[in-house]
Amino acid sequence: MLNYASDFEIFLNTGDPELARQYIDRFPFSGITCNPQMIAETGRTDYLNVLRELRAAAGVRKLFIQTPSNDYQGILDDVDAILSVIGHQPSIIKIPTCADGIRAIMDLSAQGVEVCGTQVMSTLQGISALQSGAKYISVFFAMMEMGGLDERGLYGGVNARATYDALTTFIEKFNCKGKIMACAARTPDEISYLISTGAGSITLDPFDFDVCFAHRNFQGVHKGVRASWESIYGSKTIRQMIEEEKKG
């Protein structure tokens, strides 16, 4: 794997191989994450080729592929088929944290398959997946916040921040080896919060990077620095200055 400055991991969230190829080497990504819905949204019907292209784009980085099935036997069949296409390393299978998914996570983890419990929207789901051996849990921040409470104050909408705090505490207090993958952030402030909770990784869309590095404040400073240079030195580069100095 590539050597980055910390154990924290940033993943590129896309099911589009072309976007994966465009972005994967531009930022310090530890790999690619996607799900069946994202792949379907590309409009491509050659699903197996999409998997192969995503695997090629990820290279030595991790690739997360989710099972389209939610039932126990369907999940196991999907896992076997997916791994036959993309290989075992460094590949992680995303499994929904429904009741059958938790059972599948237990069995697959025992067999040495690396698993990410996904669609986590409550503390109990996350702990169940981690306790079953999941290497990662994808915790859906925005989905929790957007749900709204039911009449008992449960599960229709969950306190997203309390869930992140509880899962972080669980990992730290009980020496859990799994990582939280923060996902579904909608704003720069939410990204800041998710990282501040102690999540071990985050997955972000290409859009998030486009917005960040095209932000008017950053662009204004960046352009101002360049304008100051050109006001004195024109379009001349430092390399050209060195060459001119050598010529005397």
Side-chain angles (χ1 to χ4, degrees):
M1 298 300 294
L2 300 176
N3 184 25
Y4 294 128
S6 75
D7 291 333
F8 187 81
E9 295 174 295
I10 306 171
F11 294 105
L12 174 63
N13 192 43
T14 182
D16 185 336
E18 180 57 34
L19 285 176
R21 288 188 287 267
Q22 288 178 25
Y23 282 82
I24 195 65
D25 291 321
R26 293 175 60 189
F27 300 100
F29 292 118
S30 294
I32 298 170
T33 65
C34 70
N35 61 46
Q37 182 178 2
M38 295 165 64
I39 294 177
E41 287 172 352
T42 67
R44 290 183 55 174
T45 57
D46 55 335
Y47 176 78
L48 298 182
N49 284 332
V50 172
L51 294 189
R52 295 183 183 105
E53 290 177 34
L54 289 171
R55 175 70 277 167
V60 299
R61 302 170 180 87
K62 297 174 183 176
L63 175 63
F64 292 71
I65 299 293
Q66 183 173 332
T67 64
S69 299
N70 296 320
D71 64 289
Y72 175 74
Q73 191 57 53
I75 290 171
L76 296 186
D77 291 344
D78 286 348
V79 171
D80 185 60
I82 290 169
L83 290 176
S84 74
V85 176
I86 65 173
H88 283 259
Q89 295 295 335
S91 303
I92 295 93
I93 302 297
K94 293 171 65 178
I95 294 176
T97 53
C98 54
D100 277 10
I102 296 299
R103 180 185 170 198
I105 291 171
M106 284 192 287
D107 290 350
L108 290 165
S109 297
Q111 297 168 26
V113 177
E114 294 203 339
V115 173
C116 171
T118 191
Q119 299 170 358
V120 172
M121 288 180 275
S122 73
T123 301
L124 184 56
Q125 279 179 291
I127 290 175
S128 295
L130 290 167
Q131 196 75 344
S132 298
K135 299 290 185 182
Y136 297 84
I137 52 170
S138 295
V139 187
F140 284 24
F141 184 83
M143 281 65 170
M144 284 187 278
E145 289 220 318
M146 292 165 61
L149 296 176
D150 66 14
E151 67 278 6
R152 294 182 298 164
L154 298 171
Y155 297 107
V158 179
N159 186 320
R161 293 172 187 261
T163 299
Y164 266 86
D165 291 343
L167 290 171
T168 299
T169 299
F170 175 81
I171 288 172
E172 293 176 349
K173 185 174 181 179
F174 297 104
N175 196 31
C176 177
K177 304 303 181 186
K179 273 186 177 183
I180 295 173
M181 182 187 292
C183 31
R186 296 162 294 180
T187 67
D189 284 344
E190 287 184 353
I191 292 172
S192 297
Y193 169 74
L194 295 178
I195 292 174
S196 73
T197 63
S201 62
I202 191 168
T203 184
L204 297 167
D205 296 341
F207 171 81
D208 293 308
F209 291 85
D210 290 341
V211 169
C212 173
F213 291 97
H215 193 280
R216 69 176 187 272
N217 290 341
F218 171 74
Q219 288 294 324
V221 172
H222 181 64
K223 290 176 181 177
V225 170
R226 181 63 191 178
S228 296
W229 171 273
E230 292 180 354
S231 69
I232 302 298
Y233 307 109
S235 61
K236 188 176 293 185
T237 66
I238 299 173
R239 175 71 62 187
Q240 288 171 330
M241 292 178 180
I242 293 172
E243 294 301 322
E244 289 176 0
E245 187 177 71
K246 286 181 180 177
K247 291 177 182 178

